[in-house]
Amino acid sequence: MSVGPQEGFTLWMTGLPGSGKSTLATLLKGKLKASGRMVEILDGDEVRKGISRDLGLSREDREEHAWRVSFVSKLLSRNGVISIVALISPYSTSREAARQVIGAERFVQVYVKASLQACERRDPKGLYAKARRGEITNMTGIQDPYEAPSDADIVVETEMATPEESVEYVLGRLRAMDRL
Ligand SMILES: Nc1ncnc2c1ncn2[C@@H]1O[C@H](COP(=O)(O)OP(=O)(O)OP(=O)(O)O)[C@@H](O)[C@H]1O
Ligand SMILES: [Mg+2]
């Protein structure tokens, strides 16, 4: 089945903490809604307050968290919604599982790319500083791995661009892919 403009799909944004996933998700949602599309954001932090409230930060729990998000995103995106997932999703196995659950034809993987140094400098939640002080011990990029994707459909580099420029880049790529 081919998926063209007006069809739902999942925009799965993976990247280090502080790379810009939530920032871009919010801006993208605004732009897409303004153009008449139905949009929902599944943000890791929010999902952890809801359907993943029982999960921690072990590998097993991170994979379960990603699986639950995949499941909900499947339901949304097959009903015409653009589901924007903003999830660190550090393991390539989880992202591959998401592609399987959602269906490859509805899955667009975006690598929100910034160096660890840049993310740590931004540190919007102060978590890198806490990790460096040893106050948290499962910080992705510090104690826990981040497996950068080599199979992303879109790579958006946020280090040398403004959020607005990065959003325009993603929208341009989606148009070129005939998703919008
Ligand atoms: N081009 C850009 N795109 C997105 N964010 C940017 C960009 N340039 C600078 N920033 C800044 O980087 C920070 C990104 O924080 P954000 O909360 O969006 O990250 P995140 O990937 O959602 O992190 P987490 O995984 O911890 O939730 C914000 O302070 C944002 O203003
Ligand atoms: Mg975020």
Side-chain angles (χ1 to χ4, degrees):
M1 186 189 67
S2 71
V3 177
Q6 303 308 315
E7 294 281 337
F9 62 93
T10 293
L11 197 66
W12 188 283
M13 301 205 295
T14 174
L16 282 167
S19 58
K21 302 176 297 296
S22 298
T23 301
L24 295 181
T26 304
L27 290 171
L28 279 166
K29 181 182 178 185
K31 293 260 181 183
L32 292 167
K33 286 202 104 163
S35 72
R37 299 297 304 259
M38 290 189 289
V39 187
E40 189 56 82
I41 295 177
L42 293 168
D43 192 285
D45 285 345
E46 292 303 312
V47 177
R48 280 186 178 280
K49 293 179 200 156
I51 56 167
S52 289
R53 67 189 181 284
D54 55 324
L55 299 177
L57 296 169
S58 67
R59 175 167 187 147
E60 196 185 18
D61 279 10
R62 288 180 192 268
E63 289 187 338
E64 175 66 18
H65 181 44
W67 187 84
R68 292 180 191 179
V69 170
S70 305
F71 190 88
V72 175
S73 200
K74 171 183 73 175
L75 302 183
L76 291 168
S77 57
R78 77 181 184 198
N79 284 289
V81 178
I82 299 175
S83 172
I84 305 177
V85 172
L87 200 68
I88 299 171
S89 42
Y91 299 113
S92 53
T93 49
S94 293
R95 300 188 301 258
E96 187 46 41
R99 186 191 299 277
Q100 300 289 331
V101 168
I102 292 159
E105 73 283 3
R106 294 199 187 281
F107 185 81
V108 179
Q109 187 181 184
V110 181
Y111 178 22
V112 182
K113 187 176 178 190
S115 67
L116 179 62
Q117 290 74 12
C119 294
E120 192 164 357
R121 217 178 306 121
R122 290 172 179 169
D123 204 7
K125 301 178 198 162
L127 293 177
Y128 284 102
K130 280 191 179 170
R132 292 294 184 193
R133 292 196 298 266
E135 291 166 21
I136 52 175
T137 54
N138 308 82
M139 182 71 182
T140 298
I142 306 295
Q143 299 102 341
D144 273 15
Y146 178 73
E147 298 172 2
S150 55
D151 59 346
D153 302 290
I154 300 173
V155 179
V156 57
E157 310 238 10
T158 66
E159 208 169 320
M160 307 291 270
T162 65
E164 289 71 22
E165 288 167 341
S166 295
V167 164
E168 284 311 314
Y169 177 75
V170 173
L171 289 171
R173 293 282 293 117
L174 289 171
R175 281 184 211 106
M177 295 163 71
D178 215 21
R179 293 281 179 177
L180 299 178

